[in-house]
Amino acid sequence: MKRVLSRESNNTTLKGVVIPRAEHCISREDISDNALKVMYRLNNAGFDAYLVGGCVRDLMLGHKPKDFDVVTNATPEQIKELFRNCRLIGRRFRLAHVVFGREIIEVATFRGHHSDETSSAKQDEQGQLVRDNVFGTIEEDAERRDFTFNAMYYDVATFSVTDFANGVNAINRREVELIGDPDVRYREDPVRMLRAVRFAAKLGMNITPRSAKPILAHGHLLSNIPAARLFEETLKLFLSGHGLDTFRLLNHYKLLDPLFPALANVLHTKDGREIQLLEIVLKNTDERINSGQRVTPAFLYASLLWYPVEEHALKLQSEAGLNSNDAFNIAMGDILHKQTLRIMIPKRFSTVIRDIWILQQRLPRRFGRRAFQLLSHPKFRAGYDFLLARGQVEGGQTLELADWWTQFQHADAGKQKKLLNQLRQHEGSAPRKRRRPRKSKPEDHAE
């Protein structure tokens, strides 16, 4: 039998349906040993503890969770007392991180409802929660969850799953459905719009009309989110193995405009070269991630901002009278600066972005020893891969240049010399003549 737990709030009535072990597919064998340790210790200390959110959703879908989150009625300070390997983080909402080597089990206290009288909760004038240290019950916590399939709680004590918002039905219908009033929930945390898109792409689901409609009106609220947080969110969006589908959904809901202002004028054209380049890069990125290969955010950002840099450089040449090299260097700095105001790009990645862009200027210069020097450049492979992607979009000389480098880097010494000679003939450049030895003067031999 399924027991029903209900609680009525001001805005929502959620009914907790308890699904016994025999009626769901979650097994302890599929749960992290460290997550089990955390829950058992909390239970033994007299606290309630549940797996919650994405890990339960993924387990119900038959997927392997990337990480495991625990929720409890213990406060952050009480959690810290139980675990020596625990650190407390967060200002907006205090969390406990229990560290087991490379694995971190995030433990949160049940969230409660905030109100004007609650001093530990704070919203700005647009309704965004900027501080939210309000603790409550499991029922209140379920109402504070974002999507219906994330309000399922796995109890290790009884091996049951409590579904508070018809999350199982949402999974069966392949729907991303927001809990509560979408207008209010998106204002509380605009990142929920990005999460809706990410889940739809990752899980192959559709955002329900009720949850999708307000996104077009509230996309501008993303400009209120700290730039550092948006960097982490973009990594989840584009480097999850479903980047291309995510990009298309973000473009459909016009959420790329507030994230990448430099692309605002070109993103909604059907056949623009910017869109073509990004789709090629994201498709290749998905293939690399899904086959276990490494990727870097620098390559993605280099692709996103390349044509804005190129266009800005041409504008500086025509309006400021700068030479192409100076204009390009200034354009790189300007575009990166404007982007980091919206999405913070760490220096370790912005340096690589610059290297990739600069190589696009250097790779056409192949005479003499330059071709061999470029081959030894630490970022040659990234620069070449980027040139290859550009060639697929632009064709013409860019594609010819990419093909030449494809042959040259894999050729033996004899073939490389032949390619360079052919290049000189094709470019009409005669081999450099040897300098004649300088005639000696009598005084050169004087003692």
Side-chain angles (χ1 to χ4, degrees), residues 126-181:
Q126 294 179 316
Q128 182 179 338
L129 286 171
V130 293
R131 189 170 64 247
D132 193 18
N133 286 306
V134 183
F135 303 137
T137 64
I138 187 173
E139 293 87 1
E140 290 175 320
D141 187 81
E143 292 178 13
R144 296 293 309 280
R145 296 283 155 181
D146 47 10
F147 301 100
T148 57
F149 50 44
N150 286 340
M152 295 186 291
Y153 296 70
Y154 175 80
D155 184 358
V156 73
T158 62
F159 315 128
S160 63
V161 173
T162 303
D163 180 2
F164 280 96
N166 294 319
V168 173
N169 289 337
I171 288 174
N172 292 335
R173 294 193 302 266
R174 315 299 296 178
E175 289 181 345
V176 178
E177 171 74 6
L178 203 66
I179 296 173
D181 182 349

Side-chain angles (χ1 to χ4, degrees), residues 244 247 263 267 273-283 300 303-305 393:
L244 179 56
F247 171 77
L263 293 176
L267 282 172
R273 60 180 185 170
E274 294 86 356
I275 298 294
Q276 292 181 49
L277 177 64
L278 292 173
E279 293 214 343
I280 288 170
V281 168
L282 286 167
K283 181 182 178 182
L300 173 64
S303 307
L304 282 161
L305 301 174
V393 174

Side-chain angles (χ1 to χ4, degrees), residues 11-12 92 111-115 121-132 140 143-147 178-193 218 221-222 224-226 229:
N11 300 314
T12 312
R92 181 172 171 266
R111 297 188 185 192
H113 292 297
H114 54 83
S115 65
K122 183 179 178 182
Q123 289 177 283
D124 63 16
E125 62 278 4
Q126 294 179 316
Q128 182 179 338
L129 286 171
V130 293
R131 189 170 64 247
D132 193 18
E140 290 175 320
E143 292 178 13
R144 296 293 309 280
R145 296 283 155 181
D146 47 10
F147 301 100
L178 203 66
I179 296 173
D181 182 349
D183 183 79
V184 174
R185 303 309 302 278
Y186 289 146
R187 286 185 179 277
E188 285 179 346
D189 186 1
V191 168
R192 286 176 178 145
M193 294 181 283
H218 294 320
L221 295 176
L222 287 169
N224 299 331
I225 302 299
R229 185 183 178 195

Side-chain angles (χ1 to χ4, degrees), residues 1-5 15-20 155 158 160 162:
M1 287 290 290
K2 300 180 180 180
R3 293 186 295 110
V4 176
L5 307 174
K15 294 184 178 181
V17 178
V18 179
I19 307 172
D155 184 358
T158 62
S160 63
T162 303

Side-chain angles (χ1 to χ4, degrees), residues 136-392:
T137 64
I138 187 173
E139 293 87 1
E140 290 175 320
D141 187 81
E143 292 178 13
R144 296 293 309 280
R145 296 283 155 181
D146 47 10
F147 301 100
T148 57
F149 50 44
N150 286 340
M152 295 186 291
Y153 296 70
Y154 175 80
D155 184 358
V156 73
T158 62
F159 315 128
S160 63
V161 173
T162 303
D163 180 2
F164 280 96
N166 294 319
V168 173
N169 289 337
I171 288 174
N172 292 335
R173 294 193 302 266
R174 315 299 296 178
E175 289 181 345
V176 178
E177 171 74 6
L178 203 66
I179 296 173
D181 182 349
D183 183 79
V184 174
R185 303 309 302 278
Y186 289 146
R187 286 185 179 277
E188 285 179 346
D189 186 1
V191 168
R192 286 176 178 145
M193 294 181 283
L194 300 181
R195 286 169 59 83
V197 167
R198 176 161 63 87
F199 289 142
K202 173 185 175 182
L203 303 174
M205 296 183 176
N206 296 312
I207 305 174
T208 63
R210 169 182 166 275
S211 300
K213 186 177 179 180
I215 294 177
L216 294 173
H218 294 320
H220 68 280
L221 295 176
L222 287 169
S223 61
N224 299 331
I225 302 299
R229 185 183 178 195
L230 283 182
F231 177 74
E232 296 301 324
E233 291 298 326
T234 56
L235 297 189
K236 297 175 185 176
L237 289 168
F238 297 121
L239 302 183
S240 63
H242 305 275
L244 179 56
D245 291 337
T246 304
F247 171 77
R248 288 171 174 169
L249 282 176
L250 289 170
N251 197 22
H252 173 74
Y253 289 109
K254 295 182 171 55
L255 291 176
L256 287 167
D257 295 3
L259 295 176
F260 304 99
L263 293 176
N265 295 328
V266 300
L267 282 172
H268 306 298
T269 58
K270 292 183 179 180
D271 301 315
R273 60 180 185 170
E274 294 86 356
I275 298 294
Q276 292 181 49
L277 177 64
L278 292 173
E279 293 214 343
I280 288 170
V281 168
L282 286 167
K283 181 182 178 182
N284 292 339
T285 300
D286 288 344
E287 291 173 352
R288 290 180 63 85
I289 291 171
N290 293 324
S291 61
Q293 296 176 281
R294 295 180 61 184
V295 297
T296 172
F299 196 89
L300 173 64
Y301 276 92
S303 307
L304 282 161
L305 301 174
W306 166 250
Y307 288 120
V309 167
E310 198 175 50
E311 291 173 6
H312 188 40
L314 291 173
K315 184 178 180 181
L316 289 172
Q317 283 183 260
S318 62
E319 295 182 359
L322 298 174
N323 63 52
S324 60
N325 188 59
D326 289 344
F328 188 75
N329 287 331
I330 293 173
M332 286 194 298
D334 287 349
I335 295 298
L336 277 175
H337 174 70
K338 290 177 182 177
Q339 183 58 53
T340 53
L341 294 177
R342 187 60 54 85
I343 299 177
M344 187 276 292
I345 305 174
K347 187 175 180 180
R348 67 183 184 276
F349 296 128
S350 63
T351 301
V352 178
I353 293 170
R354 286 178 178 269
D355 285 339
I356 291 172
W357 286 343
I358 291 171
L359 279 169
Q360 305 312 295
Q361 304 292 103
R362 294 182 61 188
L363 286 171
R365 305 167 188 169
R366 298 160 284 173
F367 294 108
R369 300 295 304 171
R370 287 180 179 174
F372 297 101
Q373 291 169 352
L374 286 169
L375 272 183
S376 62
H377 191 287
K379 301 303 176 186
F380 168 80
R381 183 68 197 189
Y384 161 76
D385 286 343
F386 188 65
L387 177 67
L388 205 59
R390 286 180 54 213
Q392 294 178 58

